[in-house]
Amino acid sequence: MVHVYNCHPFSSQQIVQVEQEPGLICCGGGALFVVATGGCKVEAYNLEKEGCPLICRFATMGTVKSIQHSRMGDYLVTIEGKNCATYLRAYTNWRYQAEGKARVGVRLLGHLLRGASVRGGAQMEIIEIPLSERPVAVACCPVTGDLLVGCENTLVLFTLRRQNQQSQNQSQQMVQSTWTNSQQSSSQSQGIRRLYVVMTCCLLLTRIPKGYLSSLFSGQIMDSNPNFLDFERSVILHLSQMKPKQVALCGEYVAVQGELEVLVVKLETSSDPKTLEESDTKKTDHLEDHVDFQILPIHQELLGDRAKDCDIAVSIEKTGLEDSKGQYTLSYVLFRRFTPDFFQGCSVEETQLHSLQLYPLFTGNQSMSLQEPSCVFCFFSLPSAGYLYSLKGGVELLSAYQYPEKVLKAVLTDYLLHVITKSALQCFTVRCAAVAARIEDPYIDSTMKACPPCSMEVCALRIQLFIGLRSVCVYGHHVVLLSAADAETTEEPERTTQRRGLSRKWTISSPKETSTAGHGWNLYVVDTVSPLTLYQEMVEYSQRYAETNPQAQSLRHLLSEAHLLLRTSLLQTSEQQRIIEEDSSPSLQADTEGPSVKQAAVRTDSTELEEAFKQNCAQLGDCFSRGSQRECHLALPYYRMSGLSVTELMARNRPLAGRPQSYGPGFLFYLKHYLFEETEQVLSQEAADEVIDIFSQSEPSQLVSVCASPSLINTSPAKTLQILQHLENTAGVSVPLTTTMATMMLRLEDLPEYTRLMERHAEMVLVYGFIEEPRLLLHGGDGGQHAHVRPTALTRQLAKSQPGLLVAAVVALHENNKVQLQHADHIFKELDCENCLQVDFWEAMLMASSQETIIQELLFRVASVYIDRLTNTPSETHTNGPHAPSKRRPLKSADDLINSCSHYGALYPWLIVLNPAHTTSSQHQEALYKLQSLLCGPSLSVGSVMPLMERLSDETLWGFSLHLLCATRRGQYDSSIEKLLDRCPQAIIAYANHHLQDSHMVLWWQKLLPELCNRTRVAADNSILLAALKETSLNRNAVCSTE
């Protein structure tokens, strides 16, 4: 369905003063080219100046049947007829005719002229392009300037070249020397000229190597010319079962249109050779088996890879340039065939296609040197309907345009689709910007940004009536119309305005009068309004729907159309800025004001467009905020793109007086996302209280999460507490609700009531409540590893009054992926609890975590802390030194960790001998036992803590025990036995009984017993050694008897 809106896309019109009746028109390069009916003359008019003054006029070599202008290279290409023959010619440097210079050079493709054109290109050149078949259609690439020629059965692609003269000289010198003697007499030269004319005619019907004829007849070596335009035939495509009527070219995409079908293929250069001819031959043979059974071609639409299944085979003919360019590879992109619906009264003429167009679109994030467009669109039209496809990134039908009456021609632009009927100019909106926006910005269609869908229904704007329209072309904001009244044909009867899916009546303006000259033809230049002006009119038009029905689908559709209009303008503005920056660099030396003035104007336009864009996003957000549940989520991205604060958005969404409905679901969806996501914006007390009121009325179940938001830190605690108490009375008691009420009591400094609320539930139940709502304990942390995390007031109070609950809660949050380890560490640092609660947290994490990487990291951390405490804490019982640890007792003692954590092992029996009680302070002894327990456990890697152990001296028995533990863990039993006999021989039996077992039992006889015997003989006081020796003998005898 096509929506119709009475907006005015046209601002003014003027009539171009043309002496003779125009037959053909085209636009480009700021000029309008007019070819008189049946004439051989082209007139160029300036579209950028008032009145469209004449730029120049020049004669052609034949009757022009078709004319096209190329933006790249600023050249014209024509199909001309003369003496029952058809020619293809290109006209370069045509602007020099405006200077009154009559010099015109004529040359063949690939050949250069002598004289002025060579020295400076100061004359117009006509390039004859020879073809083996009659040219039917021609197209210029808007990106590269290449030329595509459609013949009866082939497509020929010519590449635009800006060549250097020196390269041509080198290739011509060899053949030029052959003809040096021929130019000695004038008679010989005259004969050569006649021969040149004859061979030129032959070139139009035969193919000979380029550069051959010019090298034969150039009389001298040409002067150095920096650059000149020329063409090089690069590829020839042969078509089967399709006769081209129109062709189009854009980058690598080639489109050809027949009477009933459209085919789009993609040509790419590749170094890998592919035998396309073989596959095409097989395909043709396969299709010929079925062609006899088809009376009429069936309707087909084949997109992407499926297009290769069409019955049109395309083969590539080699041109001999494959070695330098690589092999051309061809892939099918799109095929569409139409069938006349005779049952509906349609004739073949009403089904014939026209207005084939490939349209590129660049995005703002492309680099300046990038030539490939981000988007390529294909448009073609029937007299009753038009079709717009997107080709890059997947072939997709974007829009189908249903016309109210028979359309003669259509032209696609960035903003609008202009179509002409016999009596009217009509405008339709396009969806190009929707495709470009999704390519340019990866965050489109997310919670951050949004854009109207590509599949949104199109709309038609105002109809402008004319008389006898014949042709249309567009350049920038200028629409050029050619009208020629037919006196013998009466006007068609008035058509109904409800045909072909139009949603409401067309609004038409009065027909324009013809010029006073009295002739039956006119050439109009109709100027379109600026996109910003059209946007403002759309906004005014939308107010009619907003006043009657704010939730009307037409309101949303019209604002979406305005949104796409602004997006297109922003894309075009960024493209203008890029062009100005490219052009200003070389010209700054000569003109310092021109580029700066243009840049300032573009910046001003860009600023106005961005402001309008934000305003439009706010309006779309308003529409979706009050919309249905199916689309209410779109209010979030549009409100974000508007740049408005939450306070301003609340003011826009306040329900009007007398309306029973409160806030819309889209606004509540936005507000919840705003509050649930971490943000640094803190609302004032008035705004925060309003948010509490909104949710207390609309969604009371979300009040706990809303109150936990850091944005509502300024809310009134007394008022919020009343609302929460009312919620508790109606919904019942819950742990998060009780904890939220306790937080409000803290803000009111009512500690007894706070304590009473916290004692309602057991600590483990409170932990589950914190898992359900983590923001009761911490704010931030959702932005990744480096996000700023800060504790709440409740967290600070728990650190003072219930540290065990705080540690258990943070451990639970980490294990449930609510907080990262580095964020938890930061919380304890913010609480100034690095030496107490943070270590308790690490110890608790060792008991709860099952992730090996985290366990090893935590083991190293706690070992480092224990070593640091042993190093900095005096071993005497009374400690008043500067490095004394916190006087608060740890949450878990060494015995608790041994009994509850598998990473802490039971102390070896021989360590009791080395650790006499009451010889160190309690903090020192606790750290020693925990470190010894870690070394006795199975998880700590001794090698990782050896560098830290060097800080501990082995002069004391507790230090010696730690070093002996490390040596034993590393399997150094021989040296450990010797050290233990030296320092504490009374512990040797306990050491041997524990460690010298199984595979190490041989050390009893090979190491321990010989050492005891030797030391007993030489020792003066050998009572301890002798007792150890006796116990060793008894133990070994018992072992032998058992065996």
Side-chain angles (χ1 to χ4, degrees):
M1 184 178 69
V2 179
H3 296 256
V4 183
Y5 300 111
N6 187 23
C7 296
H8 299 74
F10 307 115
S11 60
S12 63
Q13 85 172 34
Q14 54 184 326
I15 297 177
V16 182
Q17 300 300 324
V18 184
E19 295 179 358
Q20 299 180 359
E21 179 180 358
L24 297 172
I25 59 173
C26 76
C27 301
L32 166 63
F33 302 95
V34 180
V35 180
T37 302
C40 300
K41 182 174 63 176
V42 177
E43 295 180 345
Y45 297 88
N46 194 335
L47 286 174
E48 302 295 337
K49 292 184 179 181
E50 185 68 25
C52 299
L54 179 68
I55 299 176
C56 64
R57 59 169 56 95
F58 55 89
T60 60
M61 298 179 66
T63 303
V64 179
K65 298 181 178 180
S66 176
I67 183 170
Q68 295 287 334
H69 176 269
S70 173
R71 181 178 66 88
M72 301 298 295
D74 192 27
Y75 67 88
L76 289 168
V77 60
T78 61
I79 297 177
E80 302 176 12
K82 189 174 183 180
N83 298 330
C84 300
T86 306
Y87 305 90
L88 181 67
R89 297 185 175 102
Y91 293 79
T92 63
N93 296 336
W94 57 269
R95 295 183 187 271
Y96 285 115
Q97 297 299 308
E99 302 175 6
K101 299 180 179 180
R103 293 176 57 91
V104 176
V106 182
R107 63 182 176 89
L108 281 176
L109 173 74
H111 313 285
L112 303 181
L113 293 174
R114 298 172 295 173
S117 63
V118 175
R119 290 191 294 271
Q123 69 176 17
M124 187 177 77
E125 286 188 356
I126 303 176
I127 304 175
E128 194 85 32
I129 303 177
L131 294 169
S132 62
E133 297 181 6
R134 182 175 63 88
V136 177
V138 65
C140 303
C141 177
V143 178
T144 62
D146 294 347
L147 182 62
L148 178 67
V149 183
C151 301
E152 293 183 356
N153 295 304
T154 60
L155 300 177
V156 186
L157 178 62
F158 295 90
T159 304
L160 178 65
R161 299 296 185 193
R162 284 182 169 86
Q163 304 211 13
N164 190 284
Q165 184 63 46
Q166 272 184 336
S167 61
Q168 292 287 333
N169 290 337
Q170 294 174 0
S171 63
Q172 295 173 3
Q173 283 179 357
M174 288 184 67
V175 187
Q176 285 170 3
S177 60
T178 307
W179 290 88
T180 303
N181 297 330
S182 305
Q183 297 179 346
Q184 294 178 357
S185 63
S186 59
S187 60
Q188 290 176 339
S189 299
Q190 187 175 2
I192 290 173
R193 293 190 188 96
R194 294 193 186 100
L195 182 59
Y196 183 90
V197 174
V198 174
M199 295 186 68
T200 300
C201 298
C202 295
L203 274 172
L204 300 177
L205 301 176
T206 60
R207 296 177 184 153
I208 63 174
K210 295 182 290 295
Y212 177 76
L213 197 61
S214 65
S215 62
L216 292 179
F217 298 102
S218 56
Q220 60 184 15
I221 297 179
M222 292 168 285
D223 301 332
S224 61
N225 183 23
N227 292 292
F228 65 93
L229 293 182
D230 200 9
F231 298 92
E232 182 180 54
R233 188 182 62 204
S234 58
V235 66
I236 300 174
L237 302 178
H238 291 269
L239 304 176
S240 66
Q241 301 183 16
M242 185 177 184
K243 293 187 176 182
K245 297 297 182 182
Q246 278 188 296
V247 294
L249 176 65
C250 183
E252 298 174 337
Y253 293 91
V254 175
V256 56
Q257 171 191 300
E259 289 186 353
L260 296 172
E261 59 273 333
V262 173
L263 175 65
V264 181
V265 296
K266 186 176 182 180
L267 275 177
E268 298 177 287
T269 56
S270 174
S271 58
D272 299 331
K274 293 187 179 180
T275 58
L276 292 177
E277 294 83 354
E278 297 179 3
S279 62
D280 291 336
T281 303
K282 294 177 182 178
K283 178 180 177 181
T284 305
D285 296 338
H286 173 73
L287 292 171
E288 286 178 353
D289 297 337
H290 303 275
V291 71
D292 295 336
F293 298 97
Q294 296 180 2
I295 300 176
L296 288 176
I298 61 174
H299 183 88
Q300 282 183 305
E301 183 186 33
L302 303 176
L303 307 181
D305 295 335
R306 293 182 55 204
K308 66 179 181 294
D309 298 330
C310 68
D311 57 355
I312 298 177
V314 182
S315 61
I316 298 178
E317 177 184 342
K318 295 183 179 180
T319 60
L321 301 175
E322 288 79 10
D323 295 337
S324 60
K325 292 185 176 182
Q327 296 287 339
Y328 275 100
T329 60
L330 183 143
S331 58
Y332 288 78
V333 178
L334 166 66
F335 178 75
R336 184 75 186 264
R337 169 175 285 149
F338 298 90
T339 302
D341 193 354
F342 297 107
F343 297 99
Q344 298 296 330
C346 296
S347 62
V348 177
E349 290 75 13
E350 292 180 345
T351 317
Q352 286 185 349
L353 292 164
H354 60 79
S355 304
L356 177 66
Q357 191 175 355
L358 289 178
Y359 193 80
L361 193 61
F362 293 86
T363 57
N365 57 6
Q366 290 186 291
S367 62
M368 296 183 182
S369 60
L370 190 62
Q371 293 296 326
E372 186 178 0
S374 298
C375 314
V376 177
F377 303 95
C378 178
F379 176 82
F380 50 86
S381 180
L382 294 168
S384 59
Y387 301 90
L388 178 63
Y389 286 86
S390 175
L391 301 183
K392 295 197 70 172
V395 185
E396 177 187 5
L397 175 62
L398 297 180
S399 305
Y401 298 88
Q402 298 295 328
Y403 304 138
E405 53 184 313
K406 182 179 178 181
V407 167
L408 303 178
K409 190 175 181 183
V411 180
L412 177 68
T413 65
D414 288 343
Y415 302 99
L416 299 169
L417 173 69
H418 300 280
V419 302
I420 59 168
T421 65
K422 190 174 182 180
S423 60
L425 168 65
Q426 305 170 13
C427 292
F428 295 85
T429 55
V430 295
R431 299 288 169 263
C432 301
V435 178
R438 286 166 172 81
I439 293 178
E440 183 183 32
D441 195 340
Y443 293 101
I444 291 292
D445 300 326
S446 66
T447 59
M448 301 300 298
K449 296 180 181 179
C451 180
C454 303
S455 58
M456 186 177 68
E457 297 172 343
V458 296
C459 75
L461 303 180
R462 186 182 181 90
I463 293 180
Q464 194 79 18
L465 293 183
F466 289 88
I467 297 176
L469 290 181
R470 296 291 181 86
S471 182
V472 60
C473 60
V474 179
Y475 175 77
H477 65 280
H478 307 288
V479 181
V480 182
L481 302 172
L482 173 61
S483 69
D486 191 353
E488 298 179 358
T489 304
T490 59
E491 290 294 325
E492 293 181 328
E494 183 179 353
R495 298 177 182 263
T496 58
T497 59
Q498 293 289 335
R499 288 186 58 189
R500 303 189 186 275
L502 295 181
S503 61
R504 51 180 57 83
K505 293 184 178 181
W506 290 85
T507 303
I508 58 178
S509 62
S510 58
K512 300 295 178 180
E513 297 180 358
T514 58
S515 65
T516 58
H519 50 69
W521 52 265
N522 273 313
L523 191 59
Y524 301 98
V525 177
V526 181
D527 293 339
T528 59
V529 299
S530 67
L532 191 59
T533 304
L534 184 57
Y535 159 76
Q536 292 169 351
E537 185 180 2
M538 286 183 172
V539 172
E540 294 176 0
Y541 196 95
S542 66
Q543 297 303 318
R544 305 176 188 177
Y545 299 105
E547 293 173 357
T548 57
N549 185 7
Q551 299 181 15
Q553 183 69 25
S554 297
L555 171 62
R556 192 178 309 165
H557 185 272
L558 187 56
L559 291 176
S560 299
E561 291 286 3
H563 183 91
L564 293 178
L565 188 67
L566 292 176
R567 277 194 178 274
T568 307
S569 302
L570 290 172
L571 287 175
Q572 209 173 62
T573 302
S574 61
E575 179 71 11
Q576 291 174 356
Q577 290 177 344
R578 188 183 71 175
I579 294 174
I580 291 175
E581 290 175 0
E582 290 177 346
D583 295 342
S584 62
S585 299
S587 62
L588 281 176
Q589 298 177 355
D591 185 8
T592 58
E593 295 183 359
S596 61
V597 172
K598 293 180 181 178
Q599 290 175 355
V602 172
R603 290 194 197 101
T604 302
D605 294 341
S606 178
T607 302
E608 294 177 354
L609 287 172
E610 289 174 357
E611 290 298 325
F613 183 77
K614 292 180 179 180
Q615 178 190 7
N616 175 262
C617 290
Q619 293 168 342
L620 278 172
D622 293 341
C623 289
F624 290 109
S625 69
R626 306 182 185 95
S628 62
Q629 291 288 345
R630 186 172 60 90
E631 296 180 331
C632 66
H633 64 280
L634 293 174
L636 173 62
Y638 280 115
Y639 274 152
R640 281 179 167 171
M641 291 190 296
S642 69
L644 299 177
S645 64
V646 66
T647 306
E648 294 171 323
L649 293 177
M650 284 193 296
R652 295 174 70 98
N653 284 272
R654 288 193 185 102
L656 300 176
R659 291 192 177 182
Q661 186 178 3
S662 60
Y663 294 89
F667 174 70
L668 293 177
F669 183 81
Y670 161 79
L671 199 56
K672 281 189 291 186
H673 269 266
Y674 172 82
L675 297 174
F676 294 170
E677 295 178 0
E678 299 299 334
T679 176
E680 298 296 329
Q681 183 180 1
V682 178
L683 301 181
S684 63
Q685 180 177 348
E686 181 182 359
D689 290 341
E690 184 177 357
V691 171
I692 297 295
D693 291 335
I694 290 173
F695 281 94
S696 65
Q697 298 172 12
S698 302
E699 295 189 36
S701 60
Q702 300 291 332
L703 273 175
V704 173
S705 299
V706 170
C707 292
S709 173
S711 300
L712 301 184
I713 194 66
N714 293 328
T715 185
S716 172
K719 182 178 179 181
T720 305
L721 190 59
Q722 292 179 356
I723 296 175
L724 294 176
Q725 288 174 345
H726 177 72
L727 177 63
E728 186 181 53
N729 295 334
T730 56
V733 179
S734 67
V735 178
L737 179 58
T738 301
T739 312
T740 305
M741 294 171 63
T743 303
M744 296 302 158
M745 288 297 179
L746 270 182
R747 293 182 57 188
L748 292 173
E749 299 181 354
D750 190 348
L751 292 181
E753 187 64 22
Y754 160 80
T755 304
R756 186 188 68 81
L757 289 172
M758 293 298 291
E759 290 177 351
R760 279 187 179 183
H761 308 282
E763 285 194 353
M764 285 309 300
V765 178
L766 291 174
V767 168
Y768 289 122
F770 291 132
I771 295 174
E772 186 176 346
E773 185 47 70
R775 293 185 301 172
L776 291 171
L777 291 180
L778 53 93
H779 289 158
D782 289 342
Q785 181 177 357
H786 303 287
H788 179 64
V789 184
R790 55 193 182 277
T792 63
L794 178 61
T795 305
R796 297 184 183 278
Q797 179 62 29
L798 290 178
K800 298 176 183 177
S801 59
Q802 294 175 283
L805 174 59
L806 176 60
V807 170
V810 177
V811 170
L813 292 180
H814 180 273
E815 291 303 300
N816 287 274
N817 299 321
K818 302 292 185 179
V819 66
Q820 300 180 17
L821 182 61
Q822 59 268 27
H823 293 161
D825 292 338
H826 183 74
I827 288 293
F828 290 109
K829 290 179 181 179
E830 288 281 332
L831 296 172
D832 296 328
C833 300
E834 296 97 327
N835 294 326
C836 51
L837 281 183
Q838 188 175 21
V839 181
D840 293 333
F841 166 70
W842 292 342
E843 293 173 346
M845 281 291 299
L846 286 174
M847 291 187 287
S849 179
S850 60
Q851 303 180 34
E852 186 62 26
T853 55
I854 293 180
I855 289 173
Q856 291 300 324
E857 182 179 354
L858 292 175
L859 286 173
F860 180 80
R861 288 185 182 184
V862 295
S864 303
V865 171
Y866 299 153
I867 293 173
D868 185 68
R869 288 179 178 178
L870 292 173
T871 304
N872 297 328
T873 304
S875 59
E876 289 77 9
T877 303
H878 303 286
T879 59
N880 296 316
H883 299 287
S886 173
K887 294 182 179 181
R888 187 190 65 81
R889 295 181 61 85
L891 296 178
K892 296 291 183 180
S893 65
D895 293 336
D896 296 332
L897 293 175
I898 292 172
N899 295 328
S900 59
C901 183
S902 61
H903 306 295
Y904 288 83
L907 297 183
Y908 299 150
W910 56 270
L911 287 173
I912 300 176
V913 182
L914 298 179
N915 294 334
H918 308 298
T919 58
T920 60
S921 64
S922 60
Q923 293 90 347
H924 188 278
Q925 188 174 8
E926 191 69 26
L928 176 62
Y929 286 169
K930 289 183 178 180
L931 182 56
Q932 288 177 339
S933 177
L934 273 184
L935 293 172
C936 293
S939 303
L940 179 64
S941 174
V942 178
S944 64
V945 297
M946 282 303 298
L948 301 177
M949 294 294 295
E950 295 177 357
R951 298 166 52 191
L952 299 176
S953 173
D954 60 354
E955 296 180 357
T956 59
L957 280 179
W958 60 265
F960 171 71
S961 68
L962 294 173
H963 285 281
L964 192 63
L965 270 174
C966 293
T968 303
R969 285 283 304 275
R970 300 173 70 183
Q972 300 173 358
Y973 295 105
D974 292 352
S975 60
S976 298
I977 291 173
E978 294 177 0
K979 292 179 181 179
L980 191 58
L981 289 174
D982 291 338
R983 296 290 300 272
C984 188
Q986 59 268 32
I988 190 62
I989 299 301
Y991 179 87
N993 287 332
H994 189 80
H995 294 289
L996 303 184
Q997 302 294 331
D998 300 329
S999 62
H1000 303 296
M1001 189 174 293
V1002 68
L1003 293 176
W1004 281 87
W1005 311 110
Q1006 294 181 359
K1007 184 63 180 178
L1008 180 58
L1009 189 58
E1011 282 290 335
L1012 286 175
C1013 293
N1014 294 333
R1015 290 173 184 268
T1016 303
R1017 293 192 195 98
V1018 299
D1021 184 7
N1022 57 3
S1023 57
I1024 298 177
L1025 294 174
L1026 188 60
L1029 182 60
K1030 290 179 180 180
E1031 190 170 353
T1032 301
S1033 301
L1034 292 175
N1035 290 339
R1036 292 306 93 199
N1037 290 333
V1039 172
C1040 292
S1041 62
T1042 302
E1043 296 175 353

